[in-house]
Amino acid sequence: MAPLHRPPTSRAPSSRTPSNILPSVVALSFLALTFLICYKVDDFAAQTKTVAGHNLDPTPWHLFPPKIFSEDTRHARTVKIIHCSYLACRYANNTATRLPLHSAVSTHQCPEIFRWIHHDLDPWARSRISMEHLDESKKFAAFRVVIVEGRLYVDMYYACVQSRAIFTIWGLVQLLRRFPGMVPDVDMMFDCMDRPTINRTENKDMPLPLFRYCTTDAHFDIPFPDWSFWGWPEVNIRSWGEEFKDIKKSSKSSNWSSKLPRAYWKGNPDVASPVRTELLTCNHSIKWGAQIMRQDWDQEARDGFEQSKLSNQCNHRYKIYAEGFAWSVSLKYILSCGSMSLIISPLYQDFFSRGLDPLKNYWPIPFDNMCESIKHAVDWGNDHLSEAEAIGQQGQNFMESLSMDTVYAYMFQLITEYSKLLDFKPTPPPSALEVCPESLLCIADEKQRQFLEKSATSASLVPPCSLNRAGSDSVYSWLQQEETRKAM
């Protein structure tokens, strides 16, 4: 019999072997995972607020153009934000800030300007400072600083103009270096813009503690050393120690009689300042004995700041200080020249200016009849050369006593006295980030980094000065005398 033949069966088409599919699946999965991770990291970075101003709006109470950052790509910016914000301090050497509290007590008393510390903090002497106080102060703050066991944490709310936030916080980080293990735990609200906001009348039932660079008699704002003590890179002003040294040296390059017998001012009048607007009308060297110069910072930046060196502005016997939008950092540089400073009716006070004595450290100029008063001061000084020179010298001596040692000691005593008023244990909020020298240098641009590094400090060999509460009583007598003088 013929063999039986089975009917042909259909064969399923051959499929790819698993060895070919697996690499494709793995590759696609890896690409998807990479994309997801990049998306999440980028989104995380976009929500991270930095002291440089990344992802922050300007302060609503003082608007300025949004910051523009120079990172080449979004990826580079993301990497920088993540590294500087979350990794820089983790691998930094923080042993210097973890030492136990020193028991050494200073043998020397703090300078007289320190007596204002208790005056500034007196509004909370009875009520103390609660979390409710800080929650209300937050509405007026650009950032919050919390120090716990020598570590510093910052919670950013708004961007600060230029590099004020970086340099202010750098000053606090350097304070921890200066007095390792001595700075107490503290919780502070800061504003980095110019004008005080906590009005004494409006907030008399609940004074709000808010630190800033200046205050007035009508405000509760607590004055704190401004950012420029560590440098102001945008206008090429170096740290205070460097600038004062050069200004003083330049001031001694010519004797008093050879200096120009006129009053000199150079600055920006376009800052909504009635004082500076009126001062422009006094620009006549013969009629008013004054030389008033308009400062164009944009042009100065293009010219490399060759015409704005502070040490080159000490060639006149008299220098004028006029407040800007509020107080101005220029006061310390004007006094440093050794010229007789003509200070026009200051409304705002920084932490050290309240220690100046009229007719000893400077010559007061009233706002009314400003030009005539400037002319009178110049004529008097030119007729009394030795007396005018002495006033200028006393002003320079005062600024020389305001060394960075004094600045750090003032910061330390102010924070120490403030911390005693807290009725809660400071704890960093979840949104705060730890800040250290490495993280600030990481987030700063190249020029800012150069200025920061030059202003770094080291541990003090001696404890800070001793603060005497009794000395603050004389502040109230001084205030009464000032009110009487202003009323005359």
Side-chain angles (χ1 to χ4, degrees):
M1 293 179 61
L4 296 176
H5 295 280
R6 294 180 180 177
T9 58
S10 58
R11 295 181 61 187
S14 61
S15 59
R16 294 181 180 177
T17 61
S19 60
N20 292 329
I21 295 176
L22 186 59
S24 300
V25 172
V26 171
L28 288 173
S29 300
F30 179 77
L31 288 174
L33 181 61
T34 301
F35 176 80
L36 179 63
I37 291 174
C38 290
Y39 174 80
K40 289 293 185 181
V41 169
D42 191 63
D43 183 60
F44 187 60
Q47 298 180 46
T48 299
K49 302 171 181 178
T50 74
V51 297
H54 295 92
N55 310 313
L56 287 166
D57 295 325
T59 52
W61 48 85
H62 188 164
L63 293 174
F64 53 89
K67 293 192 173 184
I68 299 175
F69 297 95
S70 61
E71 288 92 345
D72 294 333
T73 65
R74 188 172 71 175
H75 174 70
R77 181 167 61 252
T78 296
V79 170
K80 183 172 185 177
I81 290 174
I82 297 297
H83 174 68
C84 300
S85 300
Y86 300 99
L87 303 177
C89 293
R90 180 170 298 180
Y91 301 108
N93 181 9
N94 289 318
T95 55
T97 61
R98 297 177 183 171
L99 297 175
L101 291 175
H102 291 297
S103 59
V105 177
S106 177
T107 58
H108 67 284
Q109 295 292 317
C110 293
E112 286 192 6
I113 59 170
F114 285 57
R115 63 190 180 180
W116 286 91
I117 290 175
H118 291 118
H119 168 267
D120 292 336
L121 299 178
D122 265 356
W124 302 278
R126 290 194 178 92
S127 68
R128 297 179 61 76
I129 298 172
S130 65
M131 278 303 305
E132 184 181 2
H133 282 97
L134 290 190
D135 288 340
E136 289 298 312
S137 297
K138 180 179 176 180
K139 300 174 183 178
F140 306 93
F143 59 89
R144 176 181 184 179
V145 169
V146 181
I147 298 174
V148 176
E149 296 183 357
R151 290 176 173 267
L152 189 143
Y153 304 84
V154 177
D155 200 8
M156 297 298 303
Y157 307 134
Y158 296 102
C160 296
V161 69
Q162 297 181 338
S163 56
R164 290 188 183 189
I166 292 179
F167 278 75
T168 300
I169 296 167
W170 175 262
L172 286 161
V173 168
Q174 296 306 307
L175 176 68
L176 296 177
R177 274 184 166 182
R178 190 71 174 167
F179 302 118
M182 296 187 68
V183 181
D185 292 359
V186 73
D187 196 334
M188 313 159 71
M189 291 291 179
F190 272 84
D191 184 29
C192 53
M193 304 312 289
D194 291 344
R195 287 183 176 172
T197 54
I198 313 301
N199 184 276
R200 284 181 177 264
T201 301
E202 297 172 2
N203 296 274
K204 63 180 179 180
D205 294 332
M206 187 180 180
L208 302 179
L210 181 68
F211 290 82
R212 68 174 340 104
Y213 308 127
C214 69
T215 191
T216 77
D217 294 337
H219 290 85
F220 286 120
D221 300 67
I222 305 167
F224 194 85
D226 72 83
W227 76 95
S228 65
F229 279 98
W230 294 271
W232 189 359
E234 289 81 4
V235 295
N236 214 43
I237 292 178
R238 299 164 300 167
S239 63
W240 170 236
E242 290 182 282
E243 289 293 350
F244 177 81
K245 180 181 178 181
D246 282 358
I247 292 173
K248 181 180 178 181
K249 180 179 179 181
S250 175
S251 72
K252 303 300 183 183
S253 62
S254 59
N255 58 43
W256 182 266
S257 60
S258 65
K259 291 181 183 291
L260 297 172
R262 295 189 295 272
Y264 178 82
W265 181 84
K266 185 176 184 179
N268 180 11
D270 304 319
V271 289
S273 168
V275 174
R276 293 188 179 184
T277 300
E278 180 65 21
L279 181 60
L280 292 176
T281 67
C282 305
N283 186 25
H284 199 293
S285 58
I286 297 176
K287 184 177 181 180
W288 303 123
Q291 183 179 357
I292 312 301
M293 305 286 290
R294 180 183 288 270
Q295 178 81 294
D296 185 341
W297 282 114
D298 291 334
Q299 185 62 47
E300 285 295 326
R302 289 191 291 270
D303 295 341
F305 302 98
E306 287 299 322
Q307 304 302 317
S308 61
K309 284 187 177 180
L310 297 173
S311 57
N312 292 340
Q313 299 181 35
C314 298
N315 302 319
H316 295 72
R317 293 178 189 169
Y318 317 97
K319 290 202 67 176
I320 299 171
Y321 170 74
E323 290 179 332
F325 185 71
W327 123 107
S328 170
V329 301
S330 63
L331 176 59
K332 56 180 173 287
Y333 309 117
I334 289 171
L335 287 163
S336 298
C337 262
S339 305
M340 188 172 85
S341 299
L342 312 183
I343 298 181
I344 305 172
S345 298
L347 172 62
Y348 302 93
Q349 308 152 1
D350 60 21
F351 82 99
F352 72 83
S353 62
R354 298 173 294 187
L356 296 170
D357 291 328
L359 301 181
K360 176 184 176 182
N361 304 118
Y362 71 96
W363 185 284
I365 300 292
F367 179 77
D368 297 330
N369 301 317
M370 182 188 302
C371 299
E372 291 87 346
S373 298
I374 291 174
K375 173 66 172 172
H376 170 69
V378 170
D379 289 345
W380 179 89
N382 289 336
D383 290 338
H384 302 80
L385 290 180
S386 60
E387 291 92 333
E389 182 179 8
I391 294 175
Q393 185 62 55
Q394 289 285 357
Q396 187 180 71
N397 292 346
F398 181 91
M399 296 315 302
E400 188 165 24
S401 71
L402 192 71
S403 64
M404 286 306 297
D405 288 342
T406 304
V407 173
Y408 282 122
Y410 190 94
M411 294 164 63
F412 173 82
Q413 295 294 0
L414 176 58
I415 290 175
T416 298
E417 295 303 309
Y418 171 87
S419 71
K420 295 176 183 178
L421 300 173
L422 300 179
D423 68 358
F424 60 92
K425 181 176 176 59
T427 304
S431 53
L433 294 173
E434 184 176 1
V435 175
C436 60
E438 291 78 7
S439 68
L440 290 172
L441 293 173
C442 175
I443 204 69
D445 63 33
E446 184 177 355
K447 186 171 184 180
Q448 292 168 354
R449 195 178 305 117
Q450 292 173 357
F451 278 64
L452 292 171
E453 289 175 337
K454 287 185 177 181
S455 65
T457 190
S458 57
S460 175
L461 298 177
V462 295
C465 58
S466 177
L467 183 61
N468 185 1
R469 168 77 199 194
S472 63
D473 296 338
S474 60
V475 170
Y476 298 98
S477 298
W478 183 89
L479 288 172
Q480 291 176 352
Q481 293 173 8
E482 281 295 289
E483 290 178 2
T484 301
R485 185 177 67 84
K486 291 177 181 178
M488 294 176 61

